Amino acid sequence: MKKIVVTCLFLLPILFILPLQGLAEDKKDDLTSEEIFNERMALYKKAEAHSHIPWYYYAAVDSYERGLRQARKDRPKEDGFIAIYIPQQKWVGELNPNEEDKYALSISFFDGFGRDGNGDGLADINNDEDILFSFAEHLTKFGSNEEDIRIGLWDYYQRDKAVELITGHAKVYKKFNTLDLREKSFIVPLHFNYSYKSTFGDARGWGGRRIHEGTDIFADHGTPVKSTTYGVVELKGWNKYGGWRIGIRDKDNVYHYYAHLSRFEDGIDRGAIVEPGTVIGYVGSTGYGKPGTSGKFPPHLHYGVYRDNGIIEWSFDPYPQLRQLEQKERKKKRG
């Protein structure tokens, strides 16, 4: 009889916890994008109230981590609203013999990363509040000003590029004061003459044998070039292959590369924040030589996209997205 009572006492919490987790996942599936953004913002704001670190830093870390999940096969898609990934052993503590430990006290005893964010005594790696609270606790160890936050981020990721991307994302969220940054723009105005086709992977010979890492949009010299996304200007200047070029990093960690420009738009400098449709420069034929070289090929824009997975970056074909953006913009113009 005693064994039956003990077994029932052990199973009761599981019976109550598991259905609630299932309901949380079902709830997310039934929500609109706007409702999901509201849920996330509420979590970021709670972390801000606790740590005095602005909400947009938590949004930036979350975006960075969501981008990593999209780029890597060794990380599953997040079940909850928060995408921050923390390895199980790091969560419970390296010396913790119980890799599935959820008790805040024992996790703390083993110096684990996990913390109780909602006051239920558990530090659950699958609970959004606990995940975000734990990350907030890590950052607050270093302080709450911008430089302190950068140090805290570096301590966690041990990667300069991660710190650069996250602080860039934070600037974008701060400027636009919203999580809804889904809008995109086609790369040139529709009323200008232009043409393009899929050329990703084609052979290139100038400067040594290599493949074409992008799509060429042929257009008249001086045609405006627009940012396709929200982001931060990460790079601007001359490249012997790309001529005058600009690189913009979006909130999904994707790097957008615009090359062979005739000139840049005024005010588009490194660190500038742009939005879809912002004119960043003008079509030209620069490149394949020393700074200022122009005219070695017909005027066109080279557009490349590169995904960061937390370790390296690689190029992928931008053509399908360009076609989608063009069609969407034409449909919108027709009303």
Side-chain angles (χ1 to χ4, degrees):
M1 182 68 181
K2 184 177 180 181
K3 289 183 178 179
I4 295 173
V5 172
V6 171
T7 302
C8 290
L9 289 173
F10 175 76
L11 289 175
L12 274 173
I14 297 175
L15 291 173
F16 281 105
I17 291 171
L18 289 179
L20 288 175
Q21 290 176 340
L23 285 173
E25 292 176 19
D26 291 342
K27 178 185 175 185
K28 183 185 173 187
D29 292 339
D30 293 337
L31 294 179
T32 65
S33 296
E34 289 74 15
E35 289 169 331
I36 291 174
F37 291 143
N38 289 338
E39 292 282 350
R40 284 186 185 140
M41 182 62 86
L43 290 164
Y44 302 152
K45 288 286 190 178
K46 183 175 179 180
E48 177 185 68
H50 163 73
S51 64
H52 304 294
I53 292 173
W55 68 267
Y56 42 81
Y57 281 105
Y58 297 112
V61 171
D62 202 23
S63 283
Y64 175 73
E65 292 272 1
R66 190 166 289 106
L68 296 188
R69 288 185 187 252
Q70 293 171 3
R72 297 174 62 157
K73 295 181 179 179
D74 61 342
R75 294 190 182 184
K77 187 178 185 299
E78 70 275 13
D79 289 327
F81 296 104
I82 301 301
I84 297 172
Y85 174 81
I86 302 164
Q88 186 74 34
Q89 199 62 61
K90 182 181 180 71
W91 181 268
V92 301
E94 296 296 334
L95 299 179
N96 193 333
N98 181 10
E99 292 185 6
E100 302 299 322
D101 196 356
K102 291 185 179 180
Y103 291 97
L105 284 176
S106 55
I107 288 175
S108 178
F109 176 80
F110 286 105
D111 198 27
F113 191 86
R115 295 290 184 270
D116 174 19
N118 58 6
D120 64 357
L122 302 177
D124 185 352
I125 198 170
N126 297 308
N127 181 280
D128 288 328
E129 288 184 271
D130 290 353
I131 293 169
L132 206 55
F133 182 83
S134 300
F135 204 91
E137 284 285 281
H138 170 79
L139 289 183
T140 52
K141 290 189 300 185
F142 299 89
S144 58
N145 65 43
E146 184 176 344
E147 186 57 31
D148 292 336
I149 294 168
R150 292 180 66 92
I151 294 171
L153 291 171
W154 192 91
D155 183 81
Y156 183 81
Y157 290 104
Q158 302 282 298
R159 184 183 183 229
D160 291 339
K161 194 66 178 180
V163 177
E164 179 186 346
L165 266 58
I166 291 169
T167 52
H169 297 348
K171 290 176 182 177
V172 174
Y173 282 121
K174 181 182 180 181
K175 178 177 175 63
F176 296 104
N177 196 34
T178 181
L179 298 179
D180 190 357
L181 302 177
R182 292 173 294 171
E183 182 185 353
K184 302 285 186 180
S185 173
F186 187 56
I187 203 162
V188 295
L190 295 178
H191 61 277
F192 279 75
N193 293 320
Y194 66 88
S195 66
Y196 65 104
K197 63 180 181 178
S198 180
T199 55
F200 185 82
D202 288 356
R204 289 292 185 268
W206 193 89
R209 186 166 178 80
R210 54 198 170 89
I211 66 166
H212 190 232
E213 296 182 343
T215 293
D216 289 335
I217 298 94
F218 288 89
D220 295 334
H221 191 279
T223 297
V225 175
K226 301 188 295 179
S227 173
T228 60
T229 183
Y230 291 94
V232 177
V233 177
E234 189 174 290
L235 178 148
K236 174 187 174 183
W238 180 266
N239 176 277
K240 67 179 180 179
Y241 298 104
W244 298 119
R245 86 300 196 216
I246 283 180
I248 294 172
R249 183 76 60 174
D250 73 19
K251 67 178 183 59
D252 297 316
N253 309 334
V254 175
Y255 180 73
H256 301 252
Y257 179 74
Y258 308 78
H260 305 315
L261 302 174
S262 59
R263 65 183 179 91
F264 305 114
E265 176 68 351
D266 293 341
I268 303 299
D269 298 314
R270 188 174 180 184
I273 299 169
V274 298
E275 59 186 299
T278 299
V279 175
I280 59 175
Y282 300 86
V283 171
S285 58
T286 59
Y288 285 19
K290 63 183 181 180
T293 300
S294 181
K296 288 193 172 184
F297 42 77
H300 70 277
L301 170 70
H302 170 90
Y303 178 59
V305 282
Y306 299 78
R307 188 175 293 279
D308 184 281
N309 71 354
I311 303 171
I312 60 171
E313 286 189 338
W314 73 93
S315 62
F316 61 98
D317 189 358
Y319 178 79
Q321 183 188 46
L322 285 172
R323 290 290 294 168
Q324 184 181 42
L325 292 176
E326 181 188 27
Q327 291 168 6
K328 184 177 179 180
E329 206 156 302
R330 286 194 184 282
K331 184 178 179 180
K332 183 178 179 181
K333 188 176 181 180
R334 288 195 297 265

